[in-house]
Amino acid sequence: MSTDVRNNKELDRFEIYVDDGLAGIAEYQDTAAERAFVHTEIYSRYGGQGYGRTLVHAALDASRDEGYGILPLCPMVHRFVETRPEYVALVPQWARERFGLPE
């Protein structure tokens, strides 16, 4: 199976495609400096196969590359960030305590 993660800027969301079928989304809201991830969903047919991890990883990397800090409002994104110290650095210092992340 091939996977592809795309940033659908018109809908403010990253989308993961598996063999050209939409498998899930990570919705966001941008501010001037941060990208707040508000909802992530992997559709049931694709659940339990690691696509959520792939989607979040690609979305955070793309956001970093675009110069955004990350606000992990969505539980899936929050869990991903808190278990990977290299991504905690993407959360602005002022927001880390709010999200229970290390300073």
Side-chain angles (χ1 to χ4, degrees):
M1 292 191 173
S2 66
T3 61
D4 182 34
V5 176
R6 305 173 195 162
N7 186 356
N8 185 335
K9 293 182 180 187
E10 289 182 11
L11 296 178
D12 294 330
R13 69 186 195 183
F14 286 88
E15 301 169 336
I16 186 167
Y17 290 84
V18 177
D19 291 337
D20 296 321
L22 183 61
I25 59 169
E27 296 175 332
Y28 60 83
Q29 296 172 351
D30 288 344
T31 68
E34 287 89 33
R35 177 167 283 161
F37 284 89
V38 296
H39 176 72
T40 303
E41 180 178 354
I42 297 298
Y43 303 133
S44 60
R45 175 179 173 201
Y46 300 97
Q49 300 176 56
Y51 295 124
R53 192 170 39 254
T54 300
L55 172 60
V56 171
H57 184 270
L60 294 182
D61 285 353
S63 298
R64 179 193 57 223
D65 293 347
E66 291 177 46
Y68 287 103
I70 301 301
L71 300 176
L73 297 168
C74 162
M76 184 184 293
V77 174
H78 186 271
R79 277 191 304 276
F80 186 92
V81 169
E82 73 181 347
T83 59
R84 291 164 179 83
E86 66 271 22
Y87 288 97
V88 171
L90 296 178
V91 178
Q93 189 70 34
W94 64 264
R96 291 182 192 168
E97 183 177 348
R98 176 178 179 216
F99 291 109
L101 298 170
E103 300 284 325

